[in-house]
Coordinates of all heavy atoms in Angstrom, one line a residue:
M519 N -41.8 57.8 34.8 CA -42.1 58.8 33.8 C -41.2 58.8 32.6 O -41.5 58.9 31.5 CB -42.2 60.2 34.4 CG -42.5 61.3 33.4 SD -44.2 61.3 33.1 CE -44.5 63.1 32.9
G520 N -39.9 58.5 32.9 CA -38.8 58.5 31.9 C -39.1 57.4 30.9 O -38.9 57.5 29.7
Q521 N -39.5 56.2 31.4 CA -39.7 55.0 30.5 C -40.9 55.3 29.6 O -40.9 54.9 28.4 CB -39.8 53.8 31.3 CG -39.9 52.5 30.5 CD -40.0 51.3 31.4 OE1 -40.2 51.3 32.6 NE2 -39.9 50.1 30.7
A522 N -41.9 55.9 30.2 CA -43.1 56.1 29.4 C -42.8 57.1 28.3 O -43.2 57.0 27.1 CB -44.2 56.7 30.2
T523 N -42.1 58.1 28.6 CA -41.7 59.1 27.6 C -40.8 58.5 26.5 O -41.0 58.8 25.3 CB -40.9 60.3 28.3 OG1 -41.6 60.8 29.3 CG2 -40.5 61.4 27.3
E524 N -39.9 57.6 26.9 CA -39.1 56.9 25.9 C -39.9 56.1 24.9 O -39.7 56.1 23.7 CB -38.0 56.1 26.6 CG -37.0 55.5 25.7 CD -35.9 54.8 26.4 OE1 -35.5 55.2 27.5 OE2 -35.5 53.7 25.9
I525 N -40.9 55.3 25.5 CA -41.8 54.5 24.7 C -42.6 55.3 23.7 O -42.7 55.0 22.5 CB -42.7 53.6 25.6 CG1 -41.8 52.6 26.3 CG2 -43.8 52.9 24.8 CD1 -42.5 51.8 27.4
I526 N -43.1 56.4 24.2 CA -43.9 57.3 23.3 C -43.0 57.9 22.3 O -43.4 58.0 21.1 CB -44.6 58.4 24.2 CG1 -45.7 57.8 25.1 CG2 -45.2 59.5 23.3 CD1 -46.3 58.7 26.1
G527 N -41.9 58.3 22.6 CA -40.9 58.9 21.7 C -40.5 58.0 20.6 O -40.5 58.3 19.4
R528 N -40.3 56.7 20.9 CA -39.9 55.7 19.9 C -41.1 55.4 19.0 O -40.9 55.3 17.8 CB -39.5 54.4 20.6 CG -38.1 54.4 21.2 CD -37.8 53.0 21.6 NE -36.6 53.1 22.5 CZ -36.3 52.3 23.4 NH1 -37.1 51.2 23.7 NH2 -35.2 52.4 24.1
G529 N -42.3 55.4 19.6 CA -43.5 55.1 18.7 C -43.7 56.3 17.8 O -44.1 56.1 16.6
L530 N -43.6 57.5 18.3 CA -43.7 58.7 17.4 C -42.7 58.7 16.3 O -43.0 59.0 15.1 CB -43.7 60.0 18.2 CG -43.9 61.3 17.5 CD1 -45.2 61.3 16.8 CD2 -43.7 62.4 18.5
A531 N -41.4 58.4 16.6 CA -40.4 58.4 15.6 C -40.7 57.3 14.6 O -40.5 57.5 13.4 CB -39.0 58.1 16.3
R532 N -41.1 56.1 15.0 CA -41.5 55.1 14.1 C -42.6 55.5 13.1 O -42.6 55.2 11.9 CB -41.9 53.8 14.9 CG -41.7 52.5 14.1 CD -41.8 51.3 15.0 NE -42.6 51.4 16.2 CZ -42.0 51.4 17.5 NH1 -40.7 51.3 17.6 NH2 -42.7 51.5 18.5
F533 N -43.6 56.2 13.7 CA -44.7 56.7 12.9 C -44.3 57.7 11.9 O -44.6 57.6 10.7 CB -45.8 57.3 13.8 CG -46.9 57.9 13.1 CD1 -48.0 57.1 12.5 CD2 -47.0 59.3 12.9 CE1 -49.0 57.7 11.8 CE2 -48.0 59.9 12.2 CZ -49.0 59.1 11.7
L534 N -43.5 58.7 12.3 CA -43.1 59.7 11.4 C -42.1 59.3 10.3 O -42.1 59.9 9.3 CB -42.5 60.9 12.2 CG -43.4 61.7 13.1 CD1 -42.7 62.7 13.9 CD2 -44.5 62.4 12.2
T535 N -41.3 58.3 10.6 CA -40.3 57.9 9.6 C -40.8 56.7 8.7 O -40.1 56.3 7.8 CB -39.0 57.4 10.3 OG1 -39.3 56.4 11.2 CG2 -38.3 58.6 11.0
K536 N -42.1 56.3 8.8 CA -42.6 55.3 8.0 C -42.9 55.9 6.6 O -43.4 57.0 6.5 CB -43.9 54.8 8.6 CG -44.5 53.7 7.8 CD -45.8 53.1 8.5 CE -46.4 52.0 7.7 NZ -47.6 51.5 8.2
Q537 N -42.5 55.1 5.6 CA -42.8 55.5 4.2 C -44.3 55.6 4.0 O -45.0 54.7 4.4 CB -42.1 54.6 3.2 CG -40.6 54.7 3.2 CD -40.0 53.9 2.0 OE1 -40.7 53.2 1.3 NE2 -38.7 53.9 1.9
I538 N -44.7 56.6 3.2 CA -46.1 56.8 3.0 C -46.5 56.4 1.5 O -47.6 56.3 1.2 CB -46.5 58.3 3.2 CG1 -45.7 59.2 2.4 CG2 -46.5 58.6 4.7 CD1 -46.3 60.6 2.3
R539 N -45.5 56.2 0.7 CA -45.7 55.7 -0.7 C -44.5 55.0 -1.1 O -43.4 55.2 -0.6 CB -46.1 56.8 -1.6 CG -45.0 57.8 -1.8 CD -45.4 59.0 -2.7 NE -44.3 59.9 -3.0 CZ -43.9 60.9 -2.2 NH1 -44.4 61.1 -1.1 NH2 -42.9 61.6 -2.6
Q540 N -44.7 54.2 -2.2 CA -43.5 53.5 -2.8 C -42.6 54.5 -3.4 O -43.1 55.4 -4.1 CB -44.0 52.5 -3.8 CG -44.7 51.3 -3.3 CD -43.7 50.4 -2.5 OE1 -42.5 50.4 -2.7 NE2 -44.2 49.8 -1.4
S541 N -41.3 54.4 -3.1 CA -40.4 55.3 -3.7 C -40.0 55.0 -5.1 O -39.5 53.9 -5.4 CB -39.1 55.3 -2.8 OG -38.2 56.2 -3.3
I542 N -40.4 55.9 -6.0 CA -40.0 55.7 -7.4 C -39.0 56.7 -7.7 O -39.3 57.9 -7.7 CB -41.2 55.8 -8.3 CG1 -42.3 54.8 -8.0 CG2 -40.8 55.7 -9.8 CD1 -43.6 55.0 -8.7
Q543 N -37.7 56.3 -7.9 CA -36.7 57.3 -8.1 C -36.5 57.5 -9.6 O -36.4 56.6 -10.4 CB -35.4 56.7 -7.6 CG -35.4 56.6 -6.1 CD -34.1 56.0 -5.5 OE1 -33.3 55.6 -6.3 NE2 -34.0 56.0 -4.2
V544 N -36.6 58.8 -10.0 CA -36.5 59.2 -11.4 C -35.3 60.1 -11.5 O -35.3 61.2 -11.0 CB -37.8 59.9 -11.9 CG1 -37.6 60.3 -13.3 CG2 -39.0 59.0 -11.7
A545 N -34.3 59.6 -12.1 CA -33.0 60.4 -12.3 C -33.1 61.1 -13.6 O -33.4 60.5 -14.6 CB -31.8 59.5 -12.1
T546 N -32.7 62.3 -13.6 CA -32.7 63.1 -14.9 C -31.3 62.9 -15.6 O -31.2 63.2 -16.8 CB -33.0 64.6 -14.7 OG1 -32.1 65.1 -13.7 CG2 -34.4 64.8 -14.2
I547 N -30.3 62.5 -14.8 CA -29.0 62.2 -15.4 C -28.5 61.0 -14.7 O -28.9 60.6 -13.6 CB -28.0 63.4 -15.2 CG1 -27.7 63.7 -13.8 CG2 -28.5 64.6 -16.0 CD1 -26.6 64.7 -13.5
S548 N -27.5 60.3 -15.3 CA -26.9 59.1 -14.7 C -26.0 59.5 -13.5 O -25.6 60.6 -13.3 CB -26.1 58.4 -15.7 OG -24.9 59.1 -16.0
Q549 N -25.7 58.5 -12.6 CA -24.8 58.7 -11.5 C -23.4 59.1 -12.0 O -22.8 59.9 -11.3 CB -24.7 57.4 -10.6 CG -26.0 57.2 -9.9 CD -25.8 56.0 -9.0 OE1 -24.9 55.2 -9.1 NE2 -26.8 55.8 -8.0
E550 N -23.0 58.6 -13.1 CA -21.7 59.0 -13.6 C -21.7 60.5 -14.0 O -20.7 61.2 -13.7 CB -21.3 58.1 -14.8 CG -21.1 56.7 -14.5 CD -22.3 55.8 -14.3 OE1 -23.4 56.3 -14.8 OE2 -22.3 54.8 -13.7
Q551 N -22.7 60.9 -14.7 CA -22.8 62.3 -15.1 C -22.9 63.2 -13.8 O -22.3 64.3 -13.8 CB -24.0 62.6 -15.9 CG -23.9 62.0 -17.3 CD -25.2 62.1 -18.1 OE1 -26.3 61.8 -17.6 NE2 -25.2 62.6 -19.3
L552 N -23.6 62.8 -12.8 CA -23.7 63.6 -11.6 C -22.4 63.7 -10.9 O -22.0 64.8 -10.5 CB -24.7 62.9 -10.6 CG -25.0 63.6 -9.3 CD1 -25.5 65.0 -9.5 CD2 -25.9 62.8 -8.4
A553 N -21.7 62.6 -10.8 CA -20.3 62.6 -10.2 C -19.4 63.5 -10.9 O -18.6 64.2 -10.3 CB -19.8 61.1 -10.1
A554 N -19.5 63.5 -12.2 CA -18.6 64.3 -13.0 C -19.0 65.8 -13.0 O -18.1 66.7 -13.2 CB -18.6 63.9 -14.5
T555 N -20.2 66.1 -12.6 CA -20.7 67.5 -12.6 C -20.6 68.1 -11.2 O -20.4 69.4 -11.1 CB -22.2 67.5 -13.0 OG1 -22.3 66.9 -14.3 CG2 -22.7 68.9 -13.2
L556 N -20.7 67.4 -10.1 CA -20.7 67.9 -8.8 C -19.4 68.6 -8.5 O -18.4 68.1 -8.8 CB -21.0 66.8 -7.8 CG -22.4 66.4 -7.5 CD1 -22.5 65.3 -6.5 CD2 -23.3 67.6 -7.0
R557 N -19.5 69.7 -7.8 CA -18.4 70.5 -7.3 C -18.6 70.8 -5.8 O -19.7 70.9 -5.4 CB -18.2 71.8 -8.0 CG -18.0 71.7 -9.5 CD -16.6 71.1 -9.9 NE -16.5 70.9 -11.3 CZ -16.5 69.7 -11.9 NH1 -16.6 68.6 -11.2 NH2 -16.3 69.5 -13.2
P558 N -17.5 70.8 -5.0 CA -17.7 71.1 -3.6 C -18.4 72.4 -3.4 O -18.2 73.4 -4.2 CB -16.2 71.3 -3.1 CG -15.4 70.4 -4.0 CD -16.1 70.5 -5.4
G559 N -19.4 72.4 -2.5 CA -20.2 73.5 -2.3 C -21.6 73.4 -3.0 O -22.5 74.2 -2.7
D560 N -21.8 72.5 -3.9 CA -23.1 72.3 -4.5 C -24.1 71.8 -3.5 O -23.8 71.0 -2.6 CB -23.0 71.3 -5.7 CG -22.3 71.8 -6.9 OD1 -22.0 73.0 -7.0 OD2 -22.1 71.0 -7.8
V561 N -25.3 72.3 -3.7 CA -26.4 71.9 -2.8 C -27.3 70.9 -3.6 O -27.8 71.2 -4.7 CB -27.2 73.1 -2.3 CG1 -28.5 72.7 -1.5 CG2 -26.4 74.1 -1.5
L562 N -27.6 69.8 -3.0 CA -28.5 68.8 -3.5 C -29.8 68.9 -2.8 O -29.9 68.8 -1.6 CB -27.9 67.4 -3.4 CG -26.5 67.2 -4.0 CD1 -26.0 65.9 -3.6 CD2 -26.6 67.3 -5.5
L563 N -30.9 69.0 -3.5 CA -32.3 69.1 -2.9 C -32.9 67.7 -3.1 O -32.9 67.1 -4.2 CB -33.1 70.1 -3.6 CG -32.5 71.6 -3.5 CD1 -33.3 72.5 -4.3 CD2 -32.4 72.0 -2.0
V564 N -33.6 67.2 -2.0 CA -34.2 65.9 -2.0 C -35.6 65.9 -1.6 O -36.0 66.7 -0.6 CB -33.4 65.0 -1.0 CG1 -33.9 63.6 -1.0 CG2 -31.9 65.0 -1.4
E565 N -36.5 65.1 -2.2 CA -37.9 65.0 -1.8 C -38.0 63.7 -1.1 O -37.8 62.6 -1.7 CB -38.8 65.0 -3.0 CG -40.2 64.8 -2.6 CD -41.2 64.7 -3.8 OE1 -40.7 64.5 -5.0 OE2 -42.4 64.7 -3.6
G566 N -38.2 63.7 0.2 CA -38.4 62.4 0.9 C -39.7 61.8 0.8 O -40.7 62.4 0.2
N567 N -39.9 60.6 1.3 CA -41.2 59.9 1.1 C -41.7 59.4 2.5 O -42.3 58.3 2.5 CB -41.1 58.8 0.1 CG -40.1 57.7 0.5 OD1 -39.3 57.8 1.4 ND2 -40.2 56.6 -0.2
T568 N -41.4 60.1 3.5 CA -41.9 59.7 4.9 C -42.9 60.8 5.4 O -42.9 61.9 4.8 CB -40.7 59.6 5.9 OG1 -40.1 60.8 6.0 CG2 -39.7 58.5 5.4
R569 N -43.6 60.5 6.4 CA -44.5 61.4 7.0 C -43.8 62.7 7.4 O -44.4 63.8 7.3 CB -45.3 60.8 8.1 CG -46.2 59.7 7.7 CD -46.9 59.0 8.8 NE -47.9 58.1 8.4 CZ -48.0 56.8 8.7 NH1 -47.1 56.3 9.5 NH2 -49.0 56.1 8.2
V570 N -42.7 62.6 8.0 CA -41.9 63.8 8.5 C -41.5 64.6 7.3 O -41.5 65.8 7.3 CB -40.8 63.4 9.4 CG1 -39.6 62.8 8.6 CG2 -40.3 64.6 10.2
S571 N -41.2 64.0 6.1 CA -40.9 64.7 4.9 C -42.1 65.5 4.4 O -41.9 66.7 4.0 CB -40.4 63.8 3.8 OG -39.2 63.1 4.2
V572 N -43.3 64.9 4.5 CA -44.5 65.6 4.1 C -44.7 66.8 5.0 O -45.0 67.9 4.5 CB -45.7 64.7 4.1 CG1 -47.0 65.5 3.9 CG2 -45.6 63.6 3.1
A573 N -44.5 66.7 6.3 CA -44.7 67.8 7.3 C -43.7 68.9 7.0 O -44.0 70.1 7.0 CB -44.5 67.3 8.7
I574 N -42.4 68.5 6.7 CA -41.4 69.5 6.4 C -41.8 70.3 5.1 O -41.7 71.6 5.1 CB -40.0 68.9 6.2 CG1 -39.5 68.4 7.5 CG2 -39.0 69.9 5.6 CD1 -38.3 67.5 7.4
K575 N -42.2 69.6 4.1 CA -42.6 70.3 2.8 C -43.8 71.2 3.1 O -43.9 72.3 2.5 CB -42.9 69.3 1.7 CG -41.6 68.6 1.2 CD -41.9 67.7 0.0 CE -42.7 66.5 0.4 NZ -42.8 65.5 -0.7
Y576 N -44.8 70.7 3.9 CA -46.0 71.6 4.1 C -45.6 72.8 4.9 O -46.0 73.9 4.6 CB -47.0 70.7 4.9 CG -48.2 71.5 5.3 CD1 -49.2 71.9 4.4 CD2 -48.3 72.0 6.6 CE1 -50.3 72.6 4.8 CE2 -49.4 72.8 7.0 CZ -50.4 73.1 6.1 OH -51.5 73.8 6.5
L577 N -44.8 72.6 6.0 CA -44.5 73.8 6.9 C -43.6 74.8 6.2 O -43.7 76.0 6.5 CB -43.8 73.3 8.1 CG -44.8 72.5 9.1 CD1 -44.0 71.8 10.2 CD2 -45.9 73.4 9.6
T578 N -42.7 74.3 5.3 CA -41.8 75.2 4.6 C -42.3 75.7 3.2 O -41.7 76.5 2.6 CB -40.4 74.6 4.4 OG1 -40.6 73.4 3.6 CG2 -39.8 74.2 5.7
Q579 N -43.5 75.1 2.8 CA -44.1 75.4 1.5 C -43.1 75.2 0.4 O -42.9 76.0 -0.5 CB -44.6 76.9 1.5 CG -45.8 77.1 2.4 CD -47.0 76.3 2.0 OE1 -47.6 76.6 1.0 NE2 -47.4 75.3 2.8
S580 N -42.4 74.1 0.4 CA -41.4 73.7 -0.5 C -41.6 72.4 -1.2 O -42.4 71.6 -0.7 CB -40.0 73.6 0.2 OG -39.0 73.2 -0.6
T581 N -41.1 72.2 -2.3 CA -41.1 70.9 -3.0 C -40.2 69.9 -2.4 O -40.3 68.7 -2.5 CB -40.7 71.1 -4.5 OG1 -41.6 72.1 -5.1 CG2 -40.8 69.8 -5.3
W582 N -39.2 70.4 -1.7 CA -38.1 69.6 -1.2 C -38.2 69.5 0.3 O -38.5 70.5 1.0 CB -36.7 70.2 -1.6 CG -36.7 70.6 -3.0 CD1 -36.7 71.8 -3.6 CD2 -36.7 69.7 -4.1 NE1 -36.7 71.7 -4.9 CE2 -36.7 70.4 -5.3 CE3 -36.6 68.3 -4.2 CZ2 -36.7 69.8 -6.6 CZ3 -36.6 67.7 -5.5 CH2 -36.6 68.5 -6.6
S583 N -37.9 68.3 0.8 CA -37.9 68.1 2.3 C -36.5 68.1 2.9 O -36.4 68.2 4.1 CB -38.7 66.8 2.6 OG -38.0 65.7 2.0
H584 N -35.5 67.9 2.1 CA -34.2 67.8 2.7 C -33.2 68.4 1.7 O -33.4 68.6 0.5 CB -33.8 66.3 2.9 CG -34.6 65.6 3.8 ND1 -35.9 65.1 3.5 CD2 -34.5 65.3 5.1 CE1 -36.4 64.5 4.5 NE2 -35.6 64.6 5.5
A585 N -32.0 68.8 2.3 CA -30.9 69.4 1.5 C -29.6 68.8 1.9 O -29.5 68.4 3.1 CB -30.9 70.9 1.6
A586 N -28.7 68.6 1.0 CA -27.4 68.1 1.3 C -26.4 69.0 0.7 O -26.6 69.6 -0.4 CB -27.2 66.7 0.8
L587 N -25.2 69.2 1.3 CA -24.1 70.0 0.8 C -23.0 69.1 0.4 O -22.5 68.3 1.2 CB -23.7 71.0 1.9 CG -22.5 71.9 1.4 CD1 -22.9 72.9 0.3 CD2 -22.0 72.7 2.7
Y588 N -22.6 69.1 -0.9 CA -21.6 68.3 -1.4 C -20.2 68.9 -1.0 O -20.0 70.1 -1.3 CB -21.6 68.1 -2.9 CG -20.6 67.3 -3.5 CD1 -20.5 65.9 -3.2 CD2 -19.6 67.8 -4.3 CE1 -19.5 65.1 -3.7 CE2 -18.6 67.0 -4.8 CZ -18.5 65.7 -4.5 OH -17.5 64.9 -5.0
I589 N -19.4 68.1 -0.3 CA -18.1 68.7 0.2 C -16.9 68.1 -0.5 O -15.8 68.5 -0.3 CB -18.0 68.5 1.7 CG1 -18.0 67.0 2.1 CG2 -19.0 69.3 2.5 CD1 -17.6 66.7 3.5
G590 N -17.2 67.3 -1.5 CA -16.1 66.7 -2.3 C -15.5 65.5 -1.6 O -16.1 64.8 -0.7
N591 N -14.3 65.2 -1.9 CA -13.6 64.0 -1.5 C -12.7 64.2 -0.3 O -11.6 63.8 -0.2 CB -12.8 63.3 -2.6 CG -13.7 62.8 -3.7 OD1 -14.8 62.4 -3.5 ND2 -13.3 63.0 -4.9
V592 N -13.2 65.0 0.7 CA -12.3 65.4 1.8 C -12.4 64.4 3.0 O -11.5 64.4 3.8 CB -12.7 66.8 2.4 CG1 -12.4 67.9 1.3 CG2 -14.1 66.9 2.8
L593 N -13.4 63.5 2.9 CA -13.5 62.5 4.0 C -13.0 61.1 3.4 O -13.1 60.9 2.2 CB -14.9 62.3 4.4 CG -15.5 63.6 5.1 CD1 -17.0 63.3 5.4 CD2 -14.8 63.9 6.4
P594 N -12.6 60.2 4.2 CA -12.2 58.9 3.7 C -13.4 58.2 3.0 O -14.6 58.5 3.2 CB -11.9 58.1 5.0 CG -11.8 59.1 6.1 CD -12.5 60.3 5.7
H595 N -13.1 57.3 2.0 CA -14.1 56.6 1.3 C -15.1 55.9 2.2 O -14.7 55.3 3.2 CB -13.5 55.6 0.4 CG -14.4 54.8 -0.5 ND1 -15.1 55.5 -1.5 CD2 -14.9 53.6 -0.4 CE1 -15.9 54.6 -2.1 NE2 -15.8 53.4 -1.4
G596 N -16.4 56.1 1.9 CA -17.4 55.5 2.7 C -17.8 56.3 4.0 O -18.4 55.8 4.9
A597 N -17.4 57.6 4.0 CA -17.7 58.4 5.2 C -18.6 59.5 4.8 O -18.6 60.0 3.6 CB -16.4 59.0 5.8
Y598 N -19.4 60.0 5.7 CA -20.2 61.2 5.5 C -20.4 62.0 6.8 O -20.1 61.5 7.8 CB -21.6 60.8 4.9 CG -22.5 60.1 5.9 CD1 -23.5 60.8 6.6 CD2 -22.5 58.7 6.1 CE1 -24.3 60.2 7.5 CE2 -23.3 58.1 7.0 CZ -24.2 58.8 7.7 OH -25.1 58.2 8.6
M599 N -20.8 63.2 6.6 CA -21.0 64.1 7.8 C -22.5 64.4 7.9 O -23.2 64.4 6.9 CB -20.2 65.4 7.6 CG -18.8 65.3 7.8 SD -18.0 66.9 7.7 CE -18.4 67.6 9.3
D600 N -22.9 64.6 9.1 CA -24.3 65.0 9.4 C -24.2 66.1 10.4 O -23.4 66.1 11.3 CB -25.0 63.8 10.0 CG -26.4 64.1 10.4 OD1 -27.1 64.9 9.7 OD2 -26.9 63.6 11.4
A601 N -25.0 67.1 10.1 CA -25.1 68.3 11.0 C -26.4 68.3 11.7 O -27.5 68.1 11.0 CB -24.8 69.6 10.2
S602 N -26.5 68.6 12.9 CA -27.7 68.8 13.7 C -27.5 69.9 14.7 O -26.5 70.5 14.8 CB -28.1 67.5 14.3 OG -27.1 67.2 15.3
R603 N -28.5 70.1 15.5 CA -28.4 71.2 16.5 C -27.3 70.9 17.5 O -26.7 71.8 18.0 CB -29.7 71.3 17.2 CG -30.8 72.0 16.4 CD -32.0 72.2 17.3 NE -33.0 72.9 16.4 CZ -34.2 73.3 16.9 NH1 -34.5 73.1 18.1 NH2 -35.0 73.9 16.1
S604 N -27.0 69.6 17.7 CA -26.0 69.3 18.7 C -24.6 69.4 18.1 O -23.6 69.2 18.8 CB -26.2 67.8 19.2 OG -26.2 66.9 18.1
G605 N -24.5 69.7 16.8 CA -23.2 69.8 16.2 C -22.9 68.9 15.1 O -23.8 68.1 14.7
K606 N -21.7 68.9 14.5 CA -21.4 68.1 13.3 C -21.0 66.7 13.8 O -20.3 66.5 14.8 CB -20.3 68.7 12.5 CG -20.7 69.9 11.8 CD -19.5 70.5 11.1 CE -19.0 71.6 12.0 NZ -17.9 72.4 11.6
R607 N -21.4 65.7 13.1 CA -21.0 64.3 13.4 C -20.4 63.7 12.1 O -20.8 64.1 11.0 CB -22.3 63.5 13.8 CG -22.9 64.0 15.1 CD -24.1 63.2 15.4 NE -25.2 63.6 14.5 CZ -26.4 63.1 14.5 NH1 -26.7 62.1 15.3 NH2 -27.3 63.4 13.6
Y608 N -19.5 62.8 12.3 CA -18.7 62.2 11.2 C -18.9 60.7 11.3 O -18.6 60.1 12.4 CB -17.3 62.7 11.4 CG -16.2 62.0 10.5 CD1 -16.6 61.4 9.4 CD2 -14.9 62.1 10.8 CE1 -15.6 60.8 8.6 CE2 -13.9 61.6 10.1 CZ -14.3 60.9 8.9 OH -13.3 60.3 8.2
F609 N -19.4 60.1 10.3 CA -19.7 58.7 10.3 C -18.9 58.0 9.2 O -18.6 58.5 8.2 CB -21.2 58.4 10.0 CG -22.1 59.0 11.0 CD1 -22.6 60.2 10.7 CD2 -22.4 58.3 12.1 CE1 -23.5 60.8 11.7 CE2 -23.3 58.9 13.0 CZ -23.9 60.1 12.8
V610 N -18.5 56.8 9.5 CA -17.8 55.9 8.5 C -18.6 54.6 8.4 O -19.0 54.0 9.4 CB -16.3 55.6 8.9 CG1 -15.7 54.6 7.9 CG2 -15.5 56.8 9.1
F611 N -18.9 54.2 7.2 CA -19.7 53.0 7.0 C -19.0 52.1 6.0 O -18.1 52.4 5.4 CB -21.1 53.3 6.6 CG -21.3 54.1 5.4 CD1 -21.5 53.6 4.2 CD2 -21.3 55.5 5.5 CE1 -21.7 54.4 3.1 CE2 -21.4 56.3 4.4 CZ -21.6 55.7 3.2

């Protein structure tokens, strides 16, 4: 039973994270302007292009499917934090 559940879970995750359209990124300001404007505590709203993003937007009746909180330069270069129900995680790439 555990192996079947794992296979179904992987298939469902693959289906939900598949892009549904070509991503066309339209920036209203340059990355340099954004970097100069952002302050710790700013919230960035993002529109995703996967099936799960569409579900999130539909269920929340929102234009945005994801949000990010800018924390500034408190982590080492190339690091980011991710929060989930299981707690905060810290990644370095």
Side-chain angles (χ1 to χ4, degrees):
M519 181 76 143
Q521 187 177 9
T523 305
E524 188 174 324
I525 291 170
I526 292 169
R528 282 188 195 153
L530 183 59
R532 206 171 18 258
F533 175 79
L534 290 174
T535 57
K536 184 177 181 183
Q537 290 187 358
I538 57 169
R539 64 182 186 278
Q540 288 294 329
S541 178
I542 300 173
Q543 298 177 350
V544 179
T546 56
I547 63 172
S548 70
Q549 287 184 347
E550 292 80 19
Q551 289 173 312
L552 180 61
T555 306
L556 278 176
R557 300 289 177 254
D560 285 351
V561 176
L562 304 170
L563 300 173
V564 181
E565 178 188 12
N567 64 345
T568 61
R569 290 178 173 125
V570 73
S571 297
V572 171
I574 291 168
K575 290 188 290 185
Y576 175 77
L577 293 170
T578 61
Q579 295 295 293
S580 175
T581 304
W582 312 107
S583 59
H584 299 80
L587 179 66
Y588 180 68
I589 59 173
N591 296 325
V592 297
L593 297 176
H595 181 69
Y598 71 94
M599 285 185 76
D600 178 35
S602 65
R603 286 185 180 185
S604 61
K606 290 177 266 183
R607 295 177 288 179
Y608 170 18
F609 299 94
V610 177
F611 54 97

